[in-house]
Structures are given as C-alpha cells and as structure tokens.
Amino acid sequence: MLGNFTFCNPTRLYFGKGAVEHLKEELPKYGKNVLLVYGGGSIKKNGIYDAVTQILKECGKTVTEDAGVMPNPTVEKLYEGVQRARQSKADLILAVGGGSVCDYAKAVSVSVHCDEDPWDKYFIRFEEPTCPIVPVACVLTMVGTGSEMNGGSVITNYEQKLKIGHVFGTQVFPKFSVLDPTYTFTLPKYQMISGIYDIFNHICEQYFSGTDDNTSDYLSEGLMRSVIHSSRIAVKDPADYEARSNIMWTATWALNTLVAMGKDTDWEVHMLGQAVGAHTDATHGMTLAAVSMAYYRHILPYGLARFRRFAVNVWDVDPAGKTDEQIAREGLAAMESWMKELGLVMHLKELGVNEGMLDGLVKSTLVMQGGYKVLTEGEIRAIFEESL
Ligand code: NZQ
Ligand code: ZN
C-alpha cells in the first residue's frame, strides 16, 4: 500500500542548449555577494567559467571564488569554504560543476551561520539545520548524482574513514539549476559512464524494496529503460544530443525524491560504495558498479518477485518455461553484460582495494534497514570479498 507522504520539490530547472542565459533572470533575485564554487578547473577549459562569470558581471555581482572542490569533497575543504563564505558575506552560493561541487555548496550553505562543527552536527548526528541557510544554485556540468534537484550532500572524512551523505530538507535544495546537456560533452568517458551507472543505481536503490503495488516502481522501470537505451547510444557517440539530454533528465528524475514517495528504499549499495570511497577516493559511480553484482545476487532470494519483475519489465527476459529464480538471475546477467558493455569497473581491485583493507571497509559500511535483507557484518564482508 502506498504510504503517506508529503511531496514538494522547490528547485526551478532551466533545461536545454543555452539555458545558462536564464541566470540573468535569476541572479537579480539575490543579494550582491556571490560565492562562485567550482572544481579542479574543467570549467575554465571548456568555456563554462567564461559564460557564467560574464553574466555575473553583467548582473553587477561581487564575486568571490572558491575553487578546487575535489571529487568526493572533504571535511577540510568544507571548513575552508565556510570561512570564505563568511568573509565574503555570501548572499548566494553558485555551484558550477558536478555533484561534488553542488553537494559541497549545500554543506557550506548550512554551515555559514552555524556555531557548531558541521561535520559532527550534520554528518555524524544527522541533525537538521537550526540556523539561517544561504541559498544555493547550480550550473550542472556532470550528470549522475541528482544533486541539482535534491537536498543530498555527501562529505568525506578520510581521517575517520567515513564518507557520509546527509539528505537535507527542501530548504537546502538548490533554488534553481541550469541543465545544458552540451555542458556535459567535455566529460571524459570514464566520468560519463560512471554517472550513467550512478543514475541507474539510484533507481535500483529505490526499486529493490517493498512488495506492494506502487506507481513509483512503474516510473522507475521507465527511467531504467530510458537510461539503458540512451547509454548505449552515448558510449558510441558522446556528442549525440538526444541521448545526452535524455541521460541528463533521467538523472534528475532518478533522485529528485519523486520515485521514493510512499515506499521503502534500500541504499545499501551506496553504503558499500561510500565505504570504498572513504578508503580509496575512487570515483563514486565506479564504487557502486564494483559492488553491485555481488550485492544483488546476494539479496535476490529475499526479493525474488521484484527481481523477476525487473528481469521481465526492464531487460525483456522471456519468462516462458522458466522458474522465477531462473528469470530473476537472467535479469541480473543482462544487467551485468550491459555494465561490461559500457566499460564500468566491475572489480574493487581496479579501484585500489586489496584484501588487507576488508576489515576497514566493513567497519565503514552503514547498514540500512529498507532493502530486502538487512546485512550482517559477515554478509558485508562476503560481498566485498566477492567484489574484489
Ligand atoms: O573538478 P573538475 O576539474 O571540474 O573535474 C570534474 C571531476 O574531476 C570532472 N568534470 C565535471 N564536469 C566536467 C568535468 N570534466 C570535463 N567536463 C565537464 N563538463 O568530473 C569529475 C567528477 O566530478 P564530480 O562532481 O566529483 O562527479 P559527480 O557528479 O559524480 O559527483 C560525485 C559526488 O557526489 C556524491 C558522491 O558521493 C560524490 O561525492 N553524491 C551525491 C548525491 C546527492 N547529492 O544526492 C547522491 C549520489 O549518490 C552521490 O553519493
Ligand atoms: Zn549515487
């Protein structure tokens, strides 16, 4: 049965070629001081930095730059960003980049006026903000996380070997996001396919849970079919606008809270992947890809009916004359061959994990309650071992 829920997504999206021009409508709504947040420099090479700074200038903004946000942003960088936002009296934090830049901007936004340590408050104790929040907006350059239309913010603390996501409420969602698919054309293939798998796995995390008949699961199947279809086109021709724009739009829908409404969700693959990230700094989508097959094969018996449905409705497995388990396993085999076709990382060793790290990985893995099987420590270890 569909559970009770409240749905509100306040992020305004500007989608399509040239969408950056909409900054001219949006920027005047905020105060003069803009903290411009970006990553390691890709936006300077592909012209996005010039396009954005030109409009900021035209709108008469006083801009303070906060560059060098790394993939998997660290708690140390967060502390630095908070100082910079305070000194510049930021009225708006404009994130230009991928999920890391956007997540970081959100973490800064709830910390600027916070007297407590933001790592402890938000990422260890999972408390909600009790201070004024600086508005965030996003110009997206890397597709996958859905951060452009959600309240997620993932920060890594390498000293504590923890990579933790806080899902903030709607007051922390970007006020608006600019989504121009052509901005993603300069992504290296490794990042593009990593993002594609991130999208797919976000949908899986919300699909592989519950046994009821729920509209969300039908939506999820459609989103999965779309991303599988477009991914095959995009790996052959990364400049295919139709495929890249569909991938961008699917990424947003995969994690803008809609398909999670009224149902349980899993998120254990993300917990396993984030543990890998905390020990290796590996690319997010690849950490998910490397642990997924072992995880899904492990939980298949506990969610057999859903895995059967996945096989038939997403992968077009012909069920005739087969047991439910055979059908379900064929679905996972089809998923695995698609992952290999894309060129995803299928083994943790490729991400720098070795046997000696297993105990640490198990310790860093949070156990979720919403999937088909609540994992024991032994099961987590076995999944990591199998993924090596
Ligand atoms: O730093 P620059 O030089 O910009 O290079 C980036 C970075 O190296 C590069 N890149 C981005 N756009 C580009 C580009 N290179 C060429 N052309 C472009 N147009 O791509 C690299 C990866 O960027 P990053 O932002 O790290 O990737 P992604 O969007 O996958 O974000 C990953 C982070 O998001 C978190 C992950 O854990 C990870 O920390 N997540 C956030 C979520 C959320 N907010 O809901 C959910 C996700 O599950 C995920 O956990
Ligand atoms: Zn993800």
Side-chain angles (χ1 to χ4, degrees):
M1 190 186 71
L2 205 59
N4 295 5
F5 61 84
T6 302
F7 178 70
C8 167
N9 193 314
T11 304
R12 180 181 295 269
L13 292 183
Y14 296 101
F15 191 97
K17 282 180 195 166
V20 74
E21 290 295 314
H22 291 284
L23 282 177
K24 291 176 188 165
E25 294 153 46
E26 286 290 342
L27 290 174
K29 297 179 188 168
Y30 302 90
K32 202 173 166 54
N33 299 326
V34 175
L35 186 70
L36 176 65
V37 178
Y38 57 96
S42 70
I43 64 163
K44 290 206 166 165
K45 292 191 199 124
N46 57 22
I48 297 171
Y49 173 86
D50 290 340
V52 170
T53 49
Q54 175 62 33
I55 296 173
L56 284 163
K57 205 170 144 194
E58 276 174 39
C59 293
K61 299 295 178 183
T62 303
V63 178
T64 301
E65 296 199 10
D66 182 6
V69 178
M70 60 294 282
N72 310 318
T74 63
V75 67
E76 291 80 8
K77 179 69 186 163
L78 168 61
Y79 295 145
E80 191 191 306
V82 172
Q83 287 314 322
R84 195 157 303 187
R86 283 178 185 160
Q87 284 155 9
S88 65
K89 299 194 168 32
D91 298 308
L92 174 73
I93 304 175
L94 183 61
V96 184
S100 294
V101 173
C102 193
D103 280 18
Y104 167 84
K106 291 178 210 167
V108 171
S109 79
V110 294
S111 307
V112 179
H113 301 294
C114 173
D115 298 332
E116 298 165 71
D117 179 333
W119 171 256
D120 288 340
K121 182 177 173 70
Y122 301 124
F123 299 93
I124 297 293
R125 300 200 302 271
F126 291 103
E127 288 173 16
E128 293 312 311
T130 43
C131 58
I133 299 164
V134 181
V136 168
C138 169
V139 176
L140 195 67
T141 68
M142 153 87 198
V143 167
T145 64
S147 189
E148 66 276 13
M149 204 184 191
N150 71 34
S153 174
V154 185
I155 297 294
T156 303
N157 186 323
Y158 288 110
E159 207 181 287
Q160 296 179 11
K161 294 266 182 275
L162 289 173
K163 181 175 183 185
I164 308 273
H166 185 129
V167 181
F168 290 102
T170 47
Q171 73 278 22
V172 184
F173 283 38
K175 299 296 173 213
F176 66 91
S177 287
V178 170
L179 276 63
D180 182 338
T182 64
Y183 277 15
T184 68
F185 282 10
T186 52
L187 275 171
K189 185 186 173 203
Y190 191 86
Q191 292 297 339
M192 180 185 79
I193 59 173
S194 170
I196 288 170
Y197 189 70
D198 195 21
I199 302 168
F200 188 81
N201 191 255
H202 291 158
I203 308 169
C204 290
E205 298 275 31
Q206 298 164 95
Y207 180 76
F208 288 117
S209 50
T211 52
D212 54 341
D213 181 41
N214 188 310
T215 303
S216 290
D217 295 323
Y218 298 85
L219 292 172
S220 289
E221 286 163 359
L223 291 171
M224 286 193 269
R225 291 184 73 95
S226 171
V227 77
I228 294 162
H229 175 75
S230 296
S231 69
R232 287 185 162 135
I233 298 167
V235 285
K236 288 203 189 85
D237 179 8
D240 187 301
Y241 182 81
E242 185 172 65
R244 296 302 289 272
S245 54
N246 279 323
I247 292 168
M248 192 173 216
W249 193 212
T250 310
T252 305
W253 280 110
L255 200 50
N256 70 356
T257 76
L258 178 84
V259 298
M261 289 299 137
K263 75 183 299 278
D264 291 330
T265 54
D266 182 359
W267 295 106
E268 193 59 47
V269 171
H270 270 67
M271 297 306 110
L272 296 160
Q274 282 173 204
V276 174
H279 287 257
T280 63
D281 192 24
T283 299
H284 172 64
M286 295 307 189
T287 66
L288 308 176
V291 299
S292 281
M293 291 320 302
Y295 175 72
Y296 287 125
R297 290 203 164 109
H298 183 83
I299 65 160
L300 179 145
Y302 306 95
L304 186 58
R306 183 58 51 87
F307 280 95
R308 183 195 188 283
R309 175 174 163 174
F310 175 68
V312 175
N313 291 359
V314 178
W315 297 102
D316 295 327
V317 171
D318 179 3
K322 295 169 197 158
T323 65
D324 286 351
E325 183 163 350
Q326 279 170 334
I327 299 162
R329 291 203 181 273
E330 245 186 73
L332 286 186
M335 171 174 157
E336 187 174 26
S337 63
W338 167 70
M339 291 169 74
K340 288 180 179 165
E341 187 186 324
L342 291 190
L344 291 163
V345 170
M346 303 300 286
H347 298 286
L348 287 174
K349 281 195 172 146
E350 291 173 55
L351 301 176
V353 176
N354 57 47
E355 281 86 352
M357 294 161 75
L358 289 178
D359 285 342
L361 287 180
V362 174
K363 272 202 204 98
S364 301
T365 305
L366 306 188
V367 178
M368 304 305 278
Q369 307 291 318
Y372 288 123
K373 174 75 177 74
V374 178
L375 298 183
T376 63
E377 268 194 26
E379 288 174 314
I380 293 172
R381 196 186 167 85
I383 289 163
F384 280 132
E385 270 174 1
E386 221 178 290
S387 304
L388 271 175

